[in-house]
Amino acid sequence: MIKAHSYLQPNHLLTHATRWRLWIGRLTLCLFAIGLYLAFIGSPPDYQQGETVRIMYVHVPCAWMAMGIYSFIAILSAIFLIWKYPLACILARSAAPLGALFTFLSLLTGALWGKPMWGTWWVWDARLTSVLILLFLYLGYLAISEAFEDTQTSLNAASVLAVVGFINVPIIKWSVVWWTTLHQPASITRIAAPAIHISMLIPLMAMALAFIGYFIWVLLLRVQIQLISAKTHALQLKLIHQPFKKTT
Amino acid sequence: MKKLFYVLWVLVVHNFRQALREKNEFLLNLGFFVAAALIFPLSIGPEFELLTRIGAGLIWTLTLFASSLSLQRMFTADFEDGTLEALYFASYPLEAFVAAKIITHWILCSLPVLLLVPAVAVCLHLSIFQIGLLILSLSIGTPILSFIGAIAATLTLGIKSNSFLVPLLVLPLYIPVLIFGVNSVEAAFLGLSLKPYLFMLSGLFFLNLPLSILIGAFNLKLNLKSL
């Protein structure tokens, strides 16, 4: 019987990743098919926003992913700094470009929605600004994780930055409550019943699940590439340092 | 405890000597602040109301940039000439070193600017009341800038070309300080209570004070180990 924690060893992950990736990829494609159908055809237009509400089915999951991935990176970085567990850092580093992408997409879709609804592409609203800061944190993390000559130092420094920048995530989450500016407050994660009709909640959830599936799919792929290239590098070094042997 | 303060004092004196050897470092900050503040009215127009309206935010922004200008060089001299290494291997508390650097950075880069703020603010037609509040919020806020700056400066110490990285790392973390600092002046200007903003600013101060020293020392060890 295989113990659960053995899956956390890089070698074990490497042997299983391809199989998992296949299934997660299929699941993600199905979820995208369902989600996109429901979002664009199967759900009613909003009584106030009209057809533009459909942007929300992409915008909201993107924003969730942007914050979720940052939390993921920060927690893994803390694990890496405390327990020196190498896979945590590789996972965090591989997740960062995806997080930056989702942050950028949520800002972009937000601007596209804001133009017809608010009458402007951009406002200096608390939530918009704090998400922009999140994008800069992602960029800083990516820049510093490549900056040092020594890879280990880069990863350490990037992990410190990720943990320090985590302070921004609760600020984003509650910015709409603390500063009552233009962006509307949360309508799903409330203690009372969600302030969203079930016909819109289902496509939103399907899209959110599809995005999570996509994230895990690509993350596994990136981690696999990282691990394989590290292995190749180690083998190359071994080959170079091997004493010369004559082959017949 | 007494010994720790002695170490801190020695390090601060060392930092001062080093900074006075290269005078242009903190004169650069001061020059930037004054020049930028005086050029602004020329570019946006000299109307009284306009300058009174944006003056506080303008001075806060310029103070922030003046403080961040010299961050890259905060630790490099001691890192390159081996002082840091010597301290590390003599098992000196690096926390004390970071604290001393923060104190020196604040005194050399923010205090002169702070002393010049009244003069610049008068040129921007701010009222006496606004100037008082500005100085109050700046004197709580500028140490926070040095704290956060120390984290970024220690983090990027081992990088050859860190000139663009430091601002990129520091600006997102500066923004809350800027918002609460400017809003405290604005709120009082609009007749609202400025207490919440000043409390938040003080909260940030006491949050960043221990964190910057601990994280800064951690970063220094990280950089020294990779040598």
Side-chain angles (χ1 to χ4, degrees):
Chain A
M1 200 181 129
I2 302 165
K3 284 177 193 156
H5 70 254
S6 71
Y7 280 105
L8 298 176
Q9 285 165 2
N11 273 333
H12 224 105
L13 185 81
L14 207 53
T15 47
H16 291 285
T18 313
R19 194 154 46 85
W20 293 349
R21 199 153 47 73
L22 201 67
W23 283 105
I24 291 168
R26 284 173 190 163
L27 189 68
T28 305
L29 287 178
C30 290
L31 280 169
F32 262 122
I34 297 167
L36 286 173
Y37 172 78
L38 285 177
F40 285 102
I41 301 159
S43 68
D46 189 77
Y47 80 105
Q48 272 183 330
Q49 303 174 16
E51 299 291 338
T52 45
V53 75
R54 299 187 197 285
I55 297 175
M56 284 297 116
Y57 299 123
V58 180
H59 173 73
V60 176
C62 271
W64 284 345
M65 291 308 285
M67 285 203 294
I69 295 175
Y70 196 87
S71 314
F72 177 78
I73 292 173
I75 292 166
L76 283 174
S77 299
I79 290 174
F80 174 68
L81 288 175
I82 297 167
W83 289 291
K84 305 281 168 215
Y85 175 56
L87 191 61
C89 190
I90 295 172
L91 275 169
R93 175 64 186 80
S94 309
L98 287 164
L101 178 72
F102 279 123
T103 314
F104 176 71
L105 279 180
S106 71
L107 286 172
L108 187 72
T109 50
L112 290 176
W113 180 87
K115 186 63 186 166
M117 286 296 113
W118 291 342
T120 173
W121 298 107
W122 181 263
V123 281
W124 289 100
D125 154 277
R127 172 153 289 180
L128 274 67
T129 312
S130 48
V131 173
L132 187 66
I133 297 173
L134 185 69
L135 182 63
F136 281 120
L137 281 173
Y138 272 121
L139 294 181
Y141 178 88
L142 287 172
I144 203 168
S145 65
E146 303 274 317
F148 289 86
E149 281 167 17
D150 176 31
T151 327
Q152 207 53 46
T153 318
S154 306
L155 292 178
N156 274 320
S159 305
V160 172
L161 180 71
V163 174
V164 170
F166 188 59
I167 188 79
N168 191 38
V169 172
I171 295 179
I172 298 178
K173 178 73 183 85
W174 285 292
S175 59
V176 281
V177 184
W178 293 341
W179 298 277
T180 43
T181 37
L182 201 51
H183 197 288
Q184 64 264 50
S187 43
I188 291 169
T189 51
R190 304 194 315 169
I191 296 168
I196 178 171
H197 192 262
I198 192 80
S199 65
M200 290 180 174
L201 187 62
I202 291 171
L204 188 62
M205 285 300 150
M207 285 301 277
L209 286 177
F211 274 45
I212 293 171
Y214 173 80
F215 169 65
I216 297 172
W217 187 16
V218 180
L219 182 68
L220 273 178
L221 186 64
R222 290 180 60 90
V223 169
Q224 224 179 344
I225 294 170
Q226 277 285 319
L227 291 176
I228 290 172
S229 59
K231 267 193 160 180
T232 323
H233 186 66
L235 280 177
Q236 278 170 341
L237 284 181
K238 206 173 163 188
L239 214 61
I240 292 167
H241 293 117
Q242 224 171 26
F244 180 70
K245 257 189 263 170
K246 202 175 177 186
T247 46
T248 47
Chain B
M1 200 64 199
K2 210 174 160 190
K3 203 175 168 190
L4 193 65
F5 277 110
Y6 178 68
V7 169
L8 201 63
W9 170 247
V10 169
L11 289 171
V12 168
V13 170
H14 158 80
N15 290 338
F16 264 104
R17 286 216 183 105
Q18 192 181 50
L20 289 176
R21 236 176 288 142
E22 24 193 325
K23 284 190 198 68
N24 49 3
E25 225 165 83
F26 61 98
L27 287 179
L28 176 74
N29 296 334
L30 213 55
F32 165 79
F33 177 75
V34 174
L38 296 184
I39 278 179
F40 236 90
L42 301 180
S43 66
I44 57 167
E47 287 85 10
F48 266 47
E49 296 79 25
L50 184 66
L51 289 177
T52 316
R53 181 72 193 76
I54 65 163
L58 181 63
I59 288 178
W60 247 102
T61 315
L62 293 179
T63 316
L64 191 146
F65 278 118
S67 159
S68 67
L69 262 183
S70 55
L71 280 181
Q72 307 150 32
R73 294 187 304 275
M74 200 164 163
F75 289 90
T76 36
D78 286 304
F79 185 62
E80 278 161 8
D81 70 6
T83 311
L84 255 173
E85 232 173 316
L87 286 176
Y88 178 58
F89 286 118
S91 61
Y92 254 59
L94 288 181
E95 284 82 6
F97 185 76
V98 175
K101 275 287 174 190
I102 290 170
I103 294 170
T104 328
H105 180 261
W106 186 75
I107 292 176
L108 286 177
C109 299
S110 293
L111 195 59
V113 171
L114 214 59
L115 293 176
L116 267 180
V117 161
V120 172
V122 167
C123 297
L124 294 174
H125 308 298
L126 294 183
S127 66
I128 301 292
F129 179 56
Q130 273 180 309
I131 296 175
L133 282 177
L134 196 57
I135 292 195
L136 180 64
S137 68
L138 277 174
S139 47
I140 307 174
T142 44
I144 312 176
L145 302 181
S146 297
F147 295 152
I148 297 171
I151 296 179
T154 47
L155 203 57
T156 54
L157 202 51
I159 303 171
K160 289 280 167 339
S161 55
N162 62 359
S163 49
F164 95 97
L165 251 178
V166 174
L168 180 68
L169 298 187
V170 134
L171 284 181
L173 302 172
Y174 271 1
I175 287 173
V177 185
L178 181 73
I179 288 174
F180 291 121
V182 174
N183 278 358
S184 62
V185 184
E186 293 274 294
F189 184 63
L190 297 171
L192 303 168
S193 169
L194 71 157
K195 265 189 187 165
Y197 300 108
L198 285 183
F199 283 158
M200 282 301 272
L201 210 56
S202 325
L204 281 176
F205 180 95
F206 287 110
L207 179 74
N208 278 297
L209 171 65
L211 280 184
S212 66
I213 292 173
L214 292 175
I215 298 176
F218 180 82
N219 290 340
L220 285 182
K221 279 172 206 156
L222 214 86
N223 273 300
L224 289 167
K225 272 178 198 157
S226 74
L227 279 177

